[in-house]
Amino acid sequence: MTPREIAAQFKVHKEIVGGGWLKLKPGQVTDDTTMALALGDSILVTGRVDAHAAACAFDAWMRGKPVDIGATVRRGLLAFRKSGTPETPPNEYDAGNGAAMRVLPVALATLDLSEEEVRAACRVQAHVTHHNPLSDAATETLALMVRDALLGAGKLDLLHGHAHPLAKRHPEFTFRSVRQRMNPSGYIAETIQAVFQAFFDTDTFEDCLIDVVNRGGDADTTGAIAGMLAGALYGPAAIPWRWLHGLDGRILRACEMQARALLEIGRTS
């Protein structure tokens, strides 16, 4: 939906109601969550971020017929089935947000590693389906921001240590002194602009998520990425109870258990 359509139907959309073009039940999740869980499971099995394990996990996820799947993800996984090689070739057209939306498990499992090791782990999982410099830059930046927030960094640290340097290296990600990014597409630059504007211009988890989702467009992905950052910064107690209570209970338990297990790996790396 566009922001105007959301406003006409909800005024401000701030509750978990289900529906949408995928006709989801209230509390049901999309490919962003289920693909991240698949990646997290592969890390727990191998004890590290492993390209082949991730590709196999993603392939099994696709065979399970997820409610949605991006074209770039599908193409990369079909290529893996044919070749057995868990890395897609570099492609200037693969600057989608599919690698970034699922990167949270990598950030948790590499919590105590160096910046370069975190970046390398991000590329390992990303290149299964997305091998593109803009995708890489965004995915790595998000993982490092989550890591630093979990280790105690504040919002200004994240802004000046990661967000602004990303935009300086890749002007496509500029999010200050530009128009508000509304109705963002699956293009990673639009995704990051919407997420960063919502994240840095709000002061609570709830306000951040409401802001970014009401921008419309690819809102499950902007919501997923904003949720990573806001969750790491504000902590689990900041998540509204009504949203947690509204989630599919099986998915909620899987997320909680996996996060704890991945952090154990991250703290002993």
Side-chain angles (χ1 to χ4, degrees):
M1 299 172 70
T2 67
R4 183 173 295 179
E5 290 168 338
I6 294 171
Q9 183 168 340
F10 300 103
K11 293 187 178 176
V12 177
H13 178 40
K14 53 186 179 181
E15 307 300 338
I16 296 178
V17 298
W21 71 279
L22 292 172
K23 297 179 172 57
L24 301 179
K25 298 177 182 177
Q28 188 178 359
V29 297
T30 67
D31 54 320
D32 302 68
T33 302
T34 55
M35 201 173 198
L37 286 168
L39 174 60
D41 285 342
S42 77
I43 296 172
L44 293 177
V45 168
T46 60
R48 65 187 187 282
V49 184
D50 179 83
H52 191 268
C56 289
F58 294 154
D59 184 47
W61 166 84
M62 185 167 71
R63 292 180 189 275
K65 301 188 185 317
V67 295
D68 187 30
I69 182 170
T72 303
V73 170
R74 184 187 300 276
R75 184 171 66 249
L77 295 180
L78 289 176
F80 169 68
R81 286 183 187 177
K82 292 179 181 178
S83 69
T85 301
E87 181 176 356
T88 192
N91 190 328
E92 63 178 308
Y93 299 107
D94 283 357
N97 56 24
M101 75 183 190
R102 65 186 188 230
V103 75
L104 179 59
V106 177
L108 301 181
T110 59
L111 190 65
D112 287 342
L113 296 183
S114 69
E115 177 175 331
E116 189 46 51
E117 288 172 311
V118 174
R119 291 184 181 276
C122 288
R123 292 191 294 271
V124 164
Q125 71 86 18
H127 291 179
V128 175
T129 57
H130 294 67
H131 196 160
N132 176 276
L134 289 181
S135 169
D136 286 350
T139 301
E140 294 165 23
T141 297
L142 290 169
L144 289 167
M145 289 175 72
V146 168
R147 182 196 69 169
D148 286 1
L150 289 173
L151 294 175
K155 189 180 290 186
L156 287 178
D157 300 317
L158 303 180
L159 178 67
H160 296 297
H162 295 293
H164 282 334
L166 172 67
K168 185 174 182 180
R169 292 194 306 272
H170 300 281
E172 295 91 338
F173 293 111
T174 299
F175 62 98
R176 289 291 191 236
S177 303
V178 296
R179 294 179 62 182
Q180 289 287 294
R181 173 56 66 186
M182 309 302 285
N183 205 36
S185 70
Y187 175 41
I188 188 61
E190 293 189 8
T191 299
I192 293 298
Q193 286 176 325
V195 167
F196 280 1
Q197 288 170 355
F199 177 67
F200 288 113
D201 292 341
T202 57
D203 295 313
T204 69
F205 182 96
E206 181 172 358
D207 288 346
C208 176
L209 268 290
I210 290 174
D211 181 313
V212 81
V213 168
N214 279 270
R215 293 168 185 254
D218 194 8
D220 62 330
T221 297
T222 56
I225 294 174
M228 295 180 206
L229 296 176
L233 181 67
Y234 299 116
I239 303 174
W241 170 247
R242 69 184 191 280
W243 290 354
L244 287 173
H245 186 68
L247 286 178
D248 178 307
R250 180 180 59 85
I251 293 292
L252 176 59
R253 289 189 294 274
C255 289
E256 290 176 335
M257 292 175 63
Q258 188 183 98
R260 291 191 184 99
L262 289 168
L263 282 170
E264 286 299 314
I265 291 177
R267 291 180 177 125
T268 57
S269 296

